[in-house]
Amino acid sequence: MAKSRKMGFDLSIPLFLLLVLCQHCLSDEISHDDSSAPKSPGCKNIFQLVKVKNWIDGVEGTSMVGLSARFGTSVPTNEDEAHRMTVVETNPLNCCENSSTQLSGYAALSKRGNCTFTMKANIAQAGGAVALLVMNDKEDLFKMVCSGNDTFFDIKIPVVMIPKSAGESLQDHLSTGQKVDLLLYSPNRPFIDFSEIFMWMMAVGTIVCASLWSKFIGNEQCDDRYKQLTIKETQDDISASKVEPEKDVMHITTKAAVFFILISSIFLMLLYWFMSDWFVWILIVLFCIGGIEGMHICSVALLSRSFGRFADMTIKVPIVGEVSLLSVIVLPFCIAFAVTWAANQHASYAWICQDVLGISLMITVLQIARLPNIKVAAVLLSCAFVYDIFWVFISPFLFHESVMIVVARGDKSGGESIPMLLRIPHILDPWGGYDMIGFGDILLPGLLVAFAARYDRSTKKSLWNGYFLWSTIGYGFGLFLTYVALHLMDGHGQPALLYLVPCTLGLILILALLRREFKDLWVYEERAGPKPQDEILQA
């Protein structure tokens, strides 16, 4: 019997590796810990993010984000209470000596270096400046604190640190004789934004959907296909049909699990050293290819439930051979969807397209890549646990900055960001931005949850006595702890697997020990149940 195929690309293994590599670590752009910095009556301000609105020759430009100093006057929280001011550069630019530029009534722009921040502020204030902007020599925002021997604490003007690129942009406009006006204010940020709730639901929902996909979609498709088999089919045809689905499944081994993490570290270092806009575009192209495949597979599977016999119609395509007609019809729409996203990545609606492609791809990957038992899961997730902690918390001691955070922010990518993440725009936050989670933080725990679902079905466990429900609850709780840690740690980058691994793998191991099922889970191999073909042969 001739068998039709669905059109697609066999990129499951490399894309799975790529997605694991591109985990995402959330953080704000504050990178200096000042817990030991001296405080005094004139140097004890609370650090605040500052919104820097700007106008170039009267035309409003893109707002910048700065950080207020430990000293000086606080900026207002309401935009209506702030006052516009014109910017001038100090001369010398480091503002470590009295400026030859007229500063009276202006906002002074200086660069970091050569003297203390308080000395810069004192010199700018003495020259009559109404504010001081200090541009950092990097893209992050350094917390400007007082040193132990500082004596310049009577600062009455606001002092704000801005990123290097923002300062250079202002310099470029000033060098061409353009008038630059600024307005500084610091709107209050809500403690919880609805986008965090939606992101939590999206991540948990993706894992649940992927874990139950084969039960509610795959099995029904198989049942429908086998109902159309007749006794006239040969045993060879049936055997070939029976083996074919297994070709699309990749069972992960302990060696492969360790290999994945080693490759992850190598690829992360390549991104750190060679990150550029062209490198990111390579990742964007790969993401589009994988997203097209994932969206195509998921769309065909869902549509096949509604179109009945039409889904079984086939046509012959040159080179490819006989393929499903529904598959041929759906593929151009998937390609157009991915191309539209790639061409409009910075549009306000682009996050929707990216999330659709990403979720489809992750569901497909979780159908292809499978953990055979808890032993492999323990190796994979334990290595990923150490990997995440090392590249977020330990790498700064070796590279003077967190490798994971630098790659996640895309500091060297020329404005392009790595697409291997889900994102939702902040809803209530006046600072804007996106709430994001990397594919790796969904896929790695998702492999374990999907295994738990298959194990429960194979052993016929109930929802409460099985492991799928509890591993899903553990993942949701671990993700909740990640968000709590982000808030409590002042937005400093957090490795999500630090919380997700103990709450998923740890919970399953504890339950297995309490239920005396640890050995079965540890050495478990998926046992194939009775197939519809077997029933036909017996008949």
Side-chain angles (χ1 to χ4, degrees):
M1 179 184 66
K3 296 183 289 297
S4 64
R5 294 179 294 172
K6 293 178 181 179
M7 299 181 69
F9 312 94
D10 191 13
L11 296 170
S12 56
I13 295 178
L15 278 172
F16 173 75
L17 284 171
L18 182 61
L19 298 177
V20 173
L21 307 177
C22 296
Q23 296 177 71
H24 183 72
C25 176
L26 293 178
S27 69
D28 63 15
E29 296 184 341
I30 301 172
S31 63
H32 182 68
D33 183 3
D34 71 322
S35 57
S36 60
K39 298 180 178 63
S40 66
C43 191
K44 59 179 182 180
N45 292 349
I46 297 174
F47 293 109
Q48 293 177 302
L49 288 174
V50 177
K51 184 164 287 191
V52 184
K53 296 188 69 173
N54 62 89
W55 292 262
I56 311 300
D57 285 341
V59 180
E60 185 173 352
T62 303
S63 294
M64 308 170 183
V65 176
L67 181 69
S68 65
R70 176 70 81 183
F71 50 87
T73 302
S74 298
V75 300
T77 58
N78 195 320
E79 181 180 358
D80 296 334
E81 299 174 358
H83 301 284
R84 284 175 63 163
M85 57 192 103
T86 303
V87 181
V88 295
E89 286 185 282
T90 61
N91 187 13
L93 189 57
N94 60 20
C95 199
C96 292
E97 301 175 9
N98 291 332
S99 176
S100 60
T101 305
Q102 177 66 28
L103 301 180
S104 182
Y106 294 97
L109 175 65
S110 73
K111 70 175 184 179
R112 177 182 174 182
N114 302 107
C115 61
T116 64
F117 294 116
T118 51
M119 178 178 288
K120 296 177 189 293
N122 187 69
I123 291 175
Q125 179 175 268
V130 294
L132 173 64
L133 272 69
V134 181
M135 59 176 176
N136 197 9
D137 51 11
K138 297 180 180 180
E139 281 305 296
D140 57 1
L141 295 175
F142 193 89
K143 289 182 175 179
M144 295 182 288
V145 298
C146 304
S147 61
N149 57 357
D150 269 344
T151 57
F152 306 106
F153 290 150
D154 190 24
I155 308 299
K156 304 297 184 183
I157 61 174
V159 181
V160 177
M161 168 75 71
I162 59 176
K164 179 182 179 181
S165 59
E168 290 177 344
S169 175
L170 296 179
Q171 279 186 298
D172 291 341
H173 292 301
L174 291 172
S175 64
T176 57
Q178 295 175 295
K179 181 183 178 183
V180 179
D181 293 327
L182 295 179
L183 186 146
L184 308 176
Y185 69 107
S186 179
N188 294 322
R189 167 174 282 172
F191 183 75
I192 297 179
D193 193 273
F194 286 130
S195 63
E196 295 176 348
I197 299 175
F198 293 148
M199 181 58 73
W200 183 93
M201 295 173 62
M202 188 183 297
V204 175
T206 298
I207 287 181
V208 172
C209 182
S211 300
L212 302 179
W213 185 269
S214 61
K215 179 180 179 181
F216 294 104
I217 301 296
N219 284 352
E220 180 171 327
Q221 284 183 297
C222 289
D223 292 342
D224 290 342
R225 182 171 67 247
Y226 292 130
K227 286 176 183 177
Q228 298 174 19
L229 293 175
T230 66
I231 196 68
K232 296 180 181 179
E233 293 174 324
T234 65
Q235 183 171 345
D236 291 339
D237 290 334
I238 296 175
S239 299
S241 179
K242 179 179 179 179
V243 173
E244 185 180 16
E246 295 300 322
K247 294 180 181 179
D248 296 331
V249 176
M250 180 185 71
H251 290 282
I252 302 172
T253 64
T254 52
K255 291 182 180 180
V258 176
F259 180 73
F260 286 162
I261 304 304
L262 292 177
I263 293 297
S264 298
S265 297
I266 295 173
F267 193 80
L268 187 66
M269 289 306 302
L270 290 175
L271 287 174
Y272 177 71
W273 283 325
F274 303 109
M275 175 72 78
S276 61
D277 55 352
W278 65 266
F279 202 148
V280 174
W281 269 103
I282 292 177
L283 298 180
I284 290 173
V285 171
L286 290 175
F287 172 72
C288 286
I289 295 173
I292 291 170
E293 180 180 10
M295 187 177 179
H296 178 254
I297 292 174
C298 292
S299 299
V300 171
L302 291 172
L303 291 173
S304 295
R305 294 169 57 94
S306 303
F307 287 95
R309 291 184 177 276
F310 175 76
D312 297 323
M313 296 179 61
T314 62
I315 60 173
K316 288 187 177 181
V317 177
I319 300 176
V320 178
E322 190 174 8
V323 297
S324 164
L325 177 60
L326 181 60
S327 179
V328 173
I329 294 174
V330 170
L331 183 59
F333 290 97
C334 297
I335 295 175
F337 190 90
V339 171
T340 299
W341 169 80
N344 300 277
Q345 293 178 61
H346 302 291
S348 59
Y349 59 84
W351 65 273
I352 300 175
C353 301
Q354 181 172 331
D355 290 351
V356 171
L357 292 170
I359 291 174
S360 300
L361 178 54
M362 284 189 285
I363 290 175
T364 301
V365 170
L366 288 175
Q367 304 310 302
I368 296 172
R370 294 185 178 182
L371 295 173
N373 50 48
I374 287 296
K375 178 175 71 174
V376 177
V379 172
L380 176 63
L381 292 178
S382 296
C383 290
F385 178 81
V386 174
Y387 163 88
D388 228 13
I389 293 175
F390 177 85
W391 290 114
V392 174
F393 290 147
I394 301 178
S395 62
F397 296 101
L398 302 176
F399 301 93
H400 306 293
E401 57 187 349
S402 175
V403 173
M404 183 77 80
I405 293 177
V406 170
V407 172
R409 282 202 310 244
D411 291 350
K412 306 173 184 178
S413 62
E416 300 292 344
S417 58
I418 295 176
M420 281 69 176
L421 50 86
L422 301 182
R423 58 177 184 152
I424 298 178
H426 291 152
I427 299 173
L428 301 178
D429 194 339
W431 296 93
Y434 290 85
D435 191 59
M436 298 174 284
I437 183 171
F439 286 177
D441 297 328
I442 298 176
L443 279 173
L444 288 173
L447 288 169
L448 178 62
V449 177
F451 164 77
R454 294 194 304 273
Y455 178 83
D456 289 354
R457 289 198 297 270
S458 175
T459 56
K460 295 181 173 55
K461 286 185 173 293
S462 66
L463 188 63
W464 293 102
N465 294 328
Y467 294 92
F468 168 67
L469 174 64
W470 298 108
S471 60
T472 302
I473 293 174
Y475 177 81
F477 183 70
L479 193 57
F480 169 76
L481 289 181
T482 305
Y483 282 114
V484 172
L486 281 171
H487 286 289
L488 295 181
M489 298 298 289
D490 194 26
H492 287 266
Q494 294 297 304
L497 294 180
L498 172 64
Y499 309 95
L500 294 175
V501 172
C503 290
T504 52
L505 178 63
L507 179 60
I508 286 184
L509 293 178
I510 291 173
L511 285 176
L513 289 171
L514 293 176
R515 296 171 177 176
R516 299 182 180 180
E517 297 175 339
F518 180 83
K519 183 177 181 181
D520 184 48
L521 281 166
W522 189 259
V523 298
Y524 174 81
E525 293 291 342
E526 292 191 47
R527 294 176 286 274
K531 304 290 184 180
Q533 300 100 315
D534 297 333
E535 297 173 3
I536 293 171
L537 288 174
Q538 292 172 4

